[in-house]
Amino acid sequence: MTTFKVLRFDPAKDKAPRVDTFEVPAEKGLTVLESLYYIMENHDGSLAFRSSCRAAVCGSCAMHINGKYRLACNTQVETLKSDIITVQPLAHLPILKDLVVDLTNFFKHYDEIKPYIIPDSKLPEKEFVQSPKERRKIDGMVDCILCAACYGSCPVAAGEPGYLGPHALLKTARFVYDSRDKSTKERLQLVAHNKGLFRCHTIFNCQIACPKNLDPSGAIAKLKMKSVWSSLKEILPF
Amino acid sequence: MSMFDVIIVGGGLAGLRAAIAAKESGASPLIISKIHPVRSHSGAAQGGINAPLANHPDGKDDSPAKHAFDTIKGSDYLADQDAVELMTSTAPSAIYELEHWGCPFDRTTDGRIAQRPFGGAGYPRTCFGADRTGHYILQTLYEQVVKQQIPVYEEWFVVSLIANEGTCCGVVAQNLRTGKLEAIEAHAVIFATGGAGRIYGRSSNALTSTGLGMSIPFWAGAHLKDMEFIQFHPTTIIGKNILMTEGCRGEGGYLINKDNERFMKRYAAEKMELAPRDIVSRSIQTEINEGRGFSIDPASGGSGGGYVHLDIRHLGRAKIMERLPGVRDICLEFLGIDPIDSPIPIQPAQHYTMGGIDTDSNGKTAVKGLYAAGECACVSVHGANRLGGNSLLDTIVFGKFSGIKAAQESLESKTKCRIDANALKMTLKQVEAHLQRMCDNRGNENPYQIKLELAKVMDDKVGIFRTGSDMKEALDKVRELKKRFKQIRSAGMITPFNYNLLWLLEMEGNLDVAEVIAMGALARQESRGSHSRRDFTKRDDQNWLKHTLASYTKDGPVLSYKPVTITKHQPQERKY
Ligand SMILES: Cc1cc2nc3c(=O)[nH]c(=O)nc-3n(C[C@H](O)[C@H](O)[C@H](O)COP(=O)(O)OP(=O)(O)OC[C@H]3O[C@@H](n4cnc5c(N)ncnc54)[C@H](O)[C@@H]3O)c2cc1C
Ligand code: SF4
Ligand code: FES
């Protein structure tokens, strides 16, 4: 048996969050997500958590598990090497119920950076020509599953709800470095301010938290450089 | 009470594409999805999407006509040939559109969209982005939805249609965030709720892919078509049944039994590992059944059954890291093995519902004002067996057509389909009462036990190989479970984020769809595509070259049949 200590909170009823304890039979390969289902199906049907793909690609199930940000679905209980597993929602975000957090701000910031390609107005008849080398520039940047682990882990985002956040800045980089996108200048303007790029204190929490091993802090650093360069270019005579 | 021109239920590829098309056609669309669109099952698609672009050096002679022929042959001649031709001739422009919207496809050395070989295809025509194609397309379409400022009610769970004198004019949905039920009116509704794989236990599908999305239109008078045709994917990891894309074999992977033999030579000497899925799945299952597979150590848990090896080691680290990085991650995270060094233990599992809500190529169903597209629909382009890479294509091609048609018709019929306020209130009350009954139920049946028993009987008795007596047993079992489901013990309440209640409602849909699958399968006395009977081993065009239709009645589904559309290709024996 493994003991699960799960944070519970129903803002409509409870004054403060509490921790409920459940026993789940140990089984080889069992994941934290499967354990949560076990709890819902056998102990307490009211336990609320998000899930969908159960294969680490949809971004539904990011949580704080035994002190780290992880996806519940690809975290095997065994690998946590602990008889007690604590499961909490992503930090710093309002709890809607139990492990379900409010991602309104997270997606609002996503919307704010114009998260869509802005190509030349004249489209080619077939595909854009993009060399493999050009395509490789956006490797990793296109793999974000919008799980919000980085956002939850970021102390800056916690203190400043207006801060765009690692995911939105990574998404900006995804378009800035795409050879088909033609709006770098506008994009940099959208993020080069004190609630964007320059709010990031390079704490690297996002990079550590990301369950897909992506590098939002690296992308932010690149964008900072680029934006400094492009403003320099405007004032320098060469 | 809100009012839109077109409501799209579902935020996967089909739903998003339909919404964009409706908006571009001048209508005001609303997307409703029980999960945020980017969480949709479509994002799990790995291998790629088919189009005869002729970008690959070995694919120079490819054409829509050849793509159509492969699809029709793959379908074991049950696909409607006009619909297939429409899909394959639209494919190139549909892919270029995605590319113009920024979809990060892999590239050929000369900078065009890269293509890889896939099962049952005469040429390499599967466009891909590593093994994350579905993720890339889903993100791309969602980006366009943001750009077009299309409203999305995310985490709203649709539980019923609103109908007025047989015309669909909206939906009743539960806002999961508040728990409240609301009626939302529209002049047209498009269902794009995806597949029903979670009726089965061993399935590659997301947990959100359930039968409810097909059963809501079914209860309202739409027909379900060809539901007995369930695709079993040859290669899913043992235990968890997470997919290992056909791209593994497309890139050159082997299937190996315990005698270290590439056994596909016995079953499809020419195409080997790249024969269509129905054939490869049967071959693997035969190896396992005849003792040439590996057996699962019961201590390792999981869903049981035997397995064989998918071996990609010879592709080498570089190619695996470049083309199949997601597959490698899955092996590392879920099996604790690295496919660069070890073969992958795989077994077939339920993967795709070829059947679905009966539609024409504009997505129209038998119910006025109601449309369907994507995996929940059956146009039909996949017939008795879908080719890998054709289903993503299906979602964007027919998603778009249904969006355009629904927009047109809703703009034309604006005044006609209004329902009066009292009738609307009545509908809402009825739905609420139904949910409340579900919550108040204090019988002695455990609903999750019913879910497990359903999954098991479908896995065991309506699986890769079928017999009349097994399927009869399955049908009886499903009917018994339906009865028992009325006696469940539930401690539910209509509250915010009550996923327990959501599951109960989904199970109700699963049971009804399972009944249709089992009935259709039992009735069809032949073997065709994925429907492989040990008691009727041959395809029988004389009697069974026809689509199964199921209609809902209070006393259970009623089956009827309709002809298959044949244009150019007379049925032949299917050899690979
Ligand atoms: C692991 C895997 C890999 C695959 N790989 C490929 C591939 O490489 N190539 C290929 O061509 N095909 C592939 N397929 C098949 C393909 O991915 C699916 O058929 C396709 O994505 C289905 O898209 P869809 O838009 O119809 O539905 P989905 O993407 O499943 O979306 C369904 C939507 O409906 C919503 N919904 C459902 N019910 C309700 C409700 N009651 N109320 C509100 N919303 C609801 C959900 O929230 C979701 O947004 C794969 C399938 C699997 C399982
Ligand atoms: S960058 Fe990583 S942690 Fe952040 S949302 Fe994307 S996948 Fe999640
Ligand atoms: S359930 Fe999809 S990422 Fe975990």
Side-chain angles (χ1 to χ4, degrees):
Chain A
M1 283 285 173
T2 311
T3 305
F4 276 77
K5 292 191 172 292
V6 184
L7 186 130
R8 307 298 302 276
F9 185 49
D10 183 349
K13 283 197 305 216
D14 306 335
K15 284 213 179 68
R18 63 170 195 281
V19 173
D20 279 355
T21 305
F22 304 101
E23 300 291 318
V24 177
E27 196 185 288
K28 196 172 157 43
L30 189 80
T31 64
V32 172
L33 184 66
E34 287 163 339
S35 308
L36 293 175
Y37 271 104
Y38 182 90
I39 294 168
M40 178 173 125
E41 293 176 6
N42 296 284
H43 295 312
D44 185 345
S46 71
L47 179 65
F49 54 93
R50 292 187 174 110
S51 77
S52 177
C53 72
R54 63 85 174 89
V57 289
C58 77
S60 299
C61 69
M63 310 173 183
H64 202 233
I65 300 165
N66 271 14
K68 272 181 81 173
Y69 293 94
R70 308 173 203 259
L71 297 175
C73 67
N74 72 351
T75 302
Q76 296 192 17
V77 175
E78 219 181 355
T79 59
L80 295 172
K81 300 206 182 346
S82 165
D83 296 335
I84 298 175
I85 313 285
T86 62
V87 185
Q88 294 177 323
L90 291 178
H92 310 317
L93 296 166
I95 298 176
L96 296 175
K97 190 158 174 231
D98 301 337
L99 303 169
V100 177
V101 292
D102 189 351
L103 292 175
T104 310
N105 251 345
F106 178 82
F107 280 109
K108 184 170 150 270
H109 296 319
Y110 171 94
D111 290 355
E112 278 164 5
I113 57 111
K114 298 204 173 176
Y116 42 82
I117 200 155
I118 307 178
D120 274 342
S121 52
K122 197 172 164 336
L123 294 172
E125 201 184 309
K126 293 185 171 179
E127 67 268 64
F128 284 103
V129 173
Q130 183 179 52
S131 71
K133 196 168 152 216
E134 288 169 327
R135 168 61 184 78
R136 270 196 293 273
K137 286 200 175 143
I138 53 171
D139 271 2
M141 294 175 183
V142 287
D143 294 334
C144 170
I145 59 172
L146 294 170
C147 71
C150 55
Y151 191 71
S153 79
C154 177
V156 179
E160 170 53 86
Y163 172 51
L164 288 174
H167 66 298
L169 295 170
L170 180 69
K171 191 82 175 174
T172 299
R174 177 249 170 278
F175 290 110
V176 165
Y177 289 94
D178 190 324
S179 60
R180 298 167 294 180
D181 190 85
K182 297 296 173 220
S183 66
T184 299
K185 203 166 153 197
E186 184 190 359
R187 289 192 187 284
L188 290 177
Q189 272 163 6
L190 280 172
V191 300
H193 50 70
N194 65 1
K195 291 206 172 145
L197 286 180
F198 300 116
R199 192 65 168 221
C200 167
H201 301 324
T202 330
I203 307 168
F204 292 114
N205 274 19
C206 54
Q207 189 199 28
I208 298 165
C210 178
K212 300 308 280 183
N213 299 318
L214 306 180
D215 185 12
S217 27
I220 293 171
K222 275 176 143 177
L223 286 179
K224 276 184 183 166
M225 288 274 286
K226 209 174 180 93
S227 94
V228 170
W229 256 115
S230 63
S231 43
L232 272 182
K233 259 203 268 181
E234 286 191 355
I235 49 174
L236 293 177
F238 47 87
Chain B
M1 218 77 64
S2 11
M3 178 89 202
F4 293 84
D5 290 331
V6 184
I7 287 175
I8 297 106
V9 184
L13 294 185
L16 298 184
R17 190 63 194 83
I20 295 166
K23 176 96 185 196
E24 289 180 340
S25 308
S28 78
L30 167 71
I31 297 167
I32 305 182
S33 180
K34 64 184 175 186
I35 48 181
H36 190 285
V38 300
R39 319 275 183 234
S40 297
H41 174 61
S42 289
Q46 301 174 352
I49 176 165
N50 294 342
L53 304 183
N55 285 356
H56 193 285
D58 298 338
K60 291 223 165 15
D61 300 331
D62 204 3
S63 67
K66 288 177 175 154
H67 184 181
F69 173 71
D70 289 344
T71 303
I72 291 161
K73 182 178 170 194
S75 81
D76 223 347
Y77 295 89
L78 194 70
D80 284 335
Q81 299 187 2
D82 52 346
V84 174
E85 285 156 3
L86 178 65
M87 178 174 82
T88 61
S89 58
T90 314
S93 61
I95 299 291
Y96 294 138
E97 191 166 62
L98 292 177
E99 201 275 339
H100 294 164
W101 287 340
C103 184
F105 287 111
D106 274 22
R107 297 289 164 161
T108 59
T109 45
D110 59 352
R112 291 177 302 150
I113 296 171
Q115 299 187 276
R116 61 166 46 128
F118 244 47
Y123 301 95
R125 71 165 71 95
T126 305
C127 312
F128 64 96
D131 52 5
R132 302 194 177 103
T133 316
H135 172 75
Y136 294 152
I137 303 177
L138 185 64
Q139 298 289 328
T140 302
L141 289 186
Y142 183 67
E143 289 159 19
Q144 292 300 310
V145 165
V146 172
K147 179 177 178 191
Q148 308 253 11
Q149 299 183 326
I150 297 171
V152 181
Y153 286 7
E154 76 224 14
E155 305 198 304
W156 283 62
F157 179 47
V158 171
V159 289
S160 174
L161 291 176
I162 305 171
N164 185 22
E165 291 171 0
T167 300
C168 173
C169 43
V171 300
V172 178
Q174 188 191 25
N175 180 349
L176 293 177
R177 200 165 162 149
T178 61
K180 283 215 177 60
L181 281 170
E182 292 189 32
I184 310 160
E185 285 183 273
H187 304 293
V189 174
I190 304 176
F191 260 62
T193 49
R198 285 293 158 183
I199 293 172
Y200 282 77
R202 260 183 241 158
S203 169
S204 66
N205 286 195
L207 302 171
T208 39
S209 299
T210 70
L212 184 64
M214 291 179 187
S215 55
I216 293 172
F218 178 58
W219 295 330
H223 306 299
L224 293 183
K225 183 163 66 185
D226 292 339
M227 291 301 293
E228 60 270 33
F229 295 101
I230 299 287
Q231 180 161 78
F232 298 88
H233 197 290
T235 58
T236 71
I237 62 171
I238 52 166
K240 308 276 179 212
N241 300 113
I242 298 173
L243 188 77
M244 296 284 102
T245 171
E246 191 162 302
C248 295
R249 285 169 285 135
E251 296 293 344
Y254 299 148
L255 291 170
I256 308 279
N257 65 16
K258 94 172 183 319
D259 305 326
N260 210 13
E261 182 190 25
R262 266 180 86 188
F263 56 83
M264 281 308 298
K265 63 176 189 251
R266 258 196 295 286
Y267 307 95
E270 200 180 312
K271 288 261 172 200
M272 294 293 286
E273 279 86 355
L274 285 178
R277 289 181 178 169
D278 55 338
I279 295 175
V280 183
S281 287
R282 279 196 289 275
S283 309
I284 296 175
Q285 198 59 49
T286 304
E287 292 294 302
I288 294 171
N289 293 350
E290 294 179 358
R292 291 185 296 277
F294 302 86
S295 50
I296 294 179
D297 170 11
S300 70
S303 54
Y307 66 93
V308 298
H309 278 153
L310 169 65
D311 197 345
I312 59 173
R313 288 176 295 181
H314 55 285
L315 303 181
R317 172 180 290 271
K319 191 158 186 184
I320 294 174
M321 298 296 279
E322 183 197 327
R323 294 288 174 86
L324 303 164
V327 154
R328 178 170 181 254
D329 284 349
I330 291 168
C331 290
L332 288 169
E333 288 163 17
F334 293 92
L335 290 172
I337 64 162
D338 188 341
I340 294 175
D341 310 315
S342 318
I344 311 164
I346 55 97
Q347 61 185 187
Q350 189 287 338
H351 181 63
Y352 186 82
T353 4
M354 260 85 66
I357 305 156
D358 179 31
T359 72
D360 68 10
S361 54
N362 284 313
K364 285 176 82 152
T365 72
V367 177
K368 209 159 165 271
L370 180 64
Y371 301 73
E375 191 170 336
C376 72
C378 180
V379 179
S380 79
V381 287
H382 309 302
N385 173 63
R386 167 177 79 88
L387 294 188
N390 266 354
S391 118
L392 294 184
L393 181 62
D394 170 359
T395 64
I396 57 165
V397 167
F398 294 106
K400 179 174 178 175
F401 288 149
S402 61
I404 293 172
K405 193 70 187 173
Q408 273 171 2
E409 294 212 338
S410 80
L411 293 174
E412 281 160 17
S413 70
K414 266 207 168 166
T415 48
K416 276 181 252 157
C417 72
R418 296 247 29 187
I419 178 168
D420 77 73
N422 275 333
L424 197 60
K425 244 189 226 149
M426 277 287 289
T427 309
L428 199 55
K429 273 230 169 80
Q430 277 166 4
V431 178
E432 206 156 46
H434 179 65
L435 263 64
Q436 197 58 53
R437 263 200 308 278
M438 194 80 94
C439 290
D440 294 345
N441 235 333
R442 293 289 181 274
N444 49 17
E445 290 285 349
N446 175 351
Y448 292 103
Q449 182 60 31
I450 293 178
K451 181 179 158 191
L452 278 181
E453 285 180 37
L454 176 67
K456 179 154 173 45
V457 78
M458 296 304 282
D459 279 347
D460 293 349
K461 310 276 176 190
V462 200
I464 296 180
F465 290 110
R466 303 172 170 183
T467 63
S469 55
D470 275 358
M471 290 185 287
K472 177 77 181 56
E473 238 179 82
L475 184 58
D476 291 344
K477 179 78 185 184
V478 173
R479 288 179 174 153
E480 172 210 312
L481 292 174
K482 275 178 70 167
K483 281 209 194 95
R484 282 167 55 194
F485 191 74
K486 295 207 167 76
Q487 311 298 328
I488 51 168
R489 179 179 62 253
S490 96
M493 279 199 300
I494 304 180
T495 56
F497 289 109
N498 186 345
Y499 285 110
N500 190 45
L501 177 58
L502 185 147
W503 275 111
L504 293 183
L505 292 162
E506 306 247 21
M507 260 186 257
E508 210 174 28
N510 280 348
L511 284 164
D512 277 11
V513 172
E515 185 177 13
V516 175
I517 295 173
M519 276 178 77
L522 182 61
R524 185 175 282 273
Q525 296 187 334
E526 65 160 352
S527 287
R528 183 186 297 273
S530 66
H531 177 64
S532 178
R533 286 186 68 149
R534 293 208 190 272
D535 44 357
F536 296 91
T537 53
K538 292 254 153 25
R539 192 175 85 195
D540 176 1
D541 290 335
Q542 198 80 44
N543 296 302
W544 289 102
L545 185 58
K546 57 188 180 186
H547 297 296
T548 308
L549 290 182
S551 336
Y552 174 79
T553 76
K554 268 211 230 39
D555 308 317
V558 175
L559 299 185
S560 59
Y561 294 90
K562 77 172 183 186
V564 173
T565 308
I566 306 237
T567 57
K568 297 196 187 84
H569 305 288
Q570 284 308 316
Q572 304 161 10
E573 198 197 337
R574 205 167 145 245
K575 278 205 190 114
Y576 288 94

